Amino acid sequence: MAWDVARALAHAAARPGAVVRRGLDEADGCVLATPLVSPVAVPPVDRAAMDGYAVRGAGPWRVIGQVKAGTADPGELADGEATGIVTGAAVPAGTTSILRSEDAIVTGARLEGPAEDGRHIRRAGEECRAGDQLLPAGVVIDPAVLGLAATVGLNRLTVIPPPTVAALITGDELVRQGPSSPGRVRDAIGPMLPGLITRAGATPDTTTPDTTTPDTTSVRHLGDSFEGLVGALRETRADLILVSGSSASGPADHLRPALNALGAEMIVDGVACRPGHPQALAQLPDGRLVIGLPGNPFAALVAFLTLGVAAITRMRGLPLPELTNIAVPGGLPCHPTSTRLVPIRLTPQGAVPVGHGGAAMLRGPASADALAVVAPGPSEAIAARLLPLDPGSRPWGG
């Protein structure tokens, strides 16, 4: 299957999570399920935008008092009167300007200084009026959105919560401490996945099924066992399950037989890309998705960025982002039938490959700014698309 088709299918196969109401302290990273509408005007009354004096009319003025930030009724000024005021305080009725403290000349109760009409006053409804739509549905909630919601008096938001993602790493040969050795391979995929999951906007699933040797992290390690993989897939309750190391067709690759045993529907069975072609996507009878990641580290990273990010994006209720084009001044060799994913650095002239882009290598992507998506062709590409290595980053130029 073509790389772009597989990516689009992964997005289409996923379903957004159920809409919930969450308090502001739990909504960061969620997606607005409904527009953010202000129930009130902001500010509700005219307020001082500077520390200084609220004045009425032309100076000089007579200072008659002080308005504190929490004063509910600041009263009214007559022509020629002034009152001290702090930033954010409601201005007295009749105020024509705020005279800044640094511009004020005070002699006893006499105030002088420059004061333009309307200067340094935040007018009622200046930011928004009651009923204004501030943000549309589909916006990712970040700290600024939370602050805006609080500004208009909201305590809860209607959101699509992040999906939960579980990771299963298979392989009898894998070790989790120390270097590789003859017959033993250090697991490099397990340490990558929790960060990739969270950067993509999902929540690593840390629930542990009943087992005699439970893992305490969001990544669970399994041996090369058909029965063990079937059991783990059956027990895991995450919205999306990543399975690494069993997606090819060798004697120790049990993912496809396990999915068949569970009645799953295969949606993507191999992708025409280099590296990462053995990746797979299936849907379990209960609607949850399983993604097969190749056992080679860079190939697994490519598969997650291809299928995993697309599925998670849809589960969050977001569209699949378009990828930005970039020039490749030195050209990149095309594969005749497969999309190439090439680690590159971004320069003012365009994309420059960093090398070390083999399926088992992470040196290239670790030193790269992005992956160049090189379409199949007969010769070299002088332009490519950019696939972010950090799935939480916004596409360049977007």
Side-chain angles (χ1 to χ4, degrees):
M1 182 179 295
W3 184 82
D4 284 285
V5 174
R7 184 169 175 259
L9 275 177
H11 187 265
R15 292 292 178 266
V19 172
V20 298
R21 293 277 291 171
R22 282 195 174 179
L24 300 187
D25 59 341
E26 299 178 314
D28 189 22
C30 298
V31 173
L32 285 175
T34 58
L36 179 58
V37 176
S38 178
V40 296
V42 177
V45 296
D46 291 354
R47 295 191 186 278
M50 290 282 181
D51 292 340
Y53 295 87
V55 303
R56 180 170 180 173
W61 304 272
R62 181 171 62 90
V63 179
I64 62 170
Q66 176 77 28
V67 178
K68 298 180 180 180
T71 301
D73 182 5
E76 182 175 0
L77 293 177
D79 195 45
E81 290 183 336
T83 182
I85 199 165
V86 296
T87 302
V91 303
T95 297
T96 56
S97 181
I98 302 295
L99 174 61
R100 298 188 307 169
S101 296
E102 53 265 43
D103 297 329
I105 302 172
V106 182
T107 307
R110 181 185 172 88
L111 171 68
E112 296 178 273
E116 300 176 29
D117 280 356
R119 187 71 168 162
H120 303 312
I121 299 175
R122 290 191 63 205
R123 297 297 183 185
E126 181 179 283
E127 184 166 1
C128 64
R129 296 166 296 179
D132 280 355
Q133 178 177 309
L134 307 180
L135 294 171
V139 168
V140 179
I141 298 170
D142 61 15
V145 175
L146 295 173
L148 177 61
T151 296
V152 299
L154 298 175
N155 299 318
R156 302 179 71 81
L157 294 171
T158 304
V159 303
I160 301 173
T164 56
V165 180
L168 306 177
I169 308 295
T170 68
D172 289 337
E173 77 283 7
L174 297 179
V175 294
R176 296 158 63 184
Q177 298 288 333
S180 300
S181 61
R184 307 294 280 171
V185 177
R186 175 65 187 267
D187 171 32
I189 297 174
M192 286 197 299
L193 290 181
L196 288 169
I197 291 166
T198 56
R199 283 172 169 78
T203 301
D205 181 64
T206 56
T207 58
T208 304
D210 292 333
T211 160
T212 56
T213 56
D215 278 295
T216 57
T217 68
S218 58
V219 177
R220 184 179 174 193
H221 291 79
L222 306 172
D224 288 320
S225 163
F226 168 78
E227 292 79 10
L229 182 56
V230 169
L233 290 171
R234 185 178 285 123
E235 295 164 351
T236 303
R237 306 317 306 164
D239 301 312
L240 173 64
I241 306 172
L242 307 174
V243 181
S244 170
S246 295
S247 64
S249 303
D253 296 313
H254 301 297
L255 179 60
R256 285 166 179 78
L259 292 171
N260 289 334
L262 294 171
E265 175 190 358
M266 191 66 72
I267 299 171
V268 175
D269 191 0
V271 178
C273 68
R274 296 291 186 276
H277 69 276
Q279 59 190 286
L281 171 68
Q283 188 167 45
L284 295 170
D286 61 8
R288 293 177 304 127
L289 296 179
V290 179
I291 291 178
L293 307 178
N296 279 317
F298 184 29
L301 175 60
V302 166
F304 181 86
L305 296 176
T306 301
L307 300 179
V309 171
I312 290 169
T313 298
R314 175 63 173 160
M315 289 176 172
R316 299 179 68 201
L318 298 172
L320 187 63
E322 295 185 6
L323 304 181
T324 303
N325 290 299
I326 191 169
V328 184
L332 283 171
C334 299
H335 189 280
T337 59
S338 295
T339 297
R340 293 188 66 218
L341 287 302
V342 182
I344 56 97
R345 285 199 185 100
L346 300 175
T347 73
Q349 292 73 39
V352 177
V354 300
H356 303 285
M361 300 179 181
L362 287 175
R363 180 175 172 180
S367 60
D369 296 318
L371 299 181
V373 181
V374 183
S379 57
E380 286 196 344
I382 59 172
R385 289 174 294 162
L386 289 177
L387 182 67
L389 280 161
D390 180 349
S393 65
R394 297 182 180 181
W396 291 269

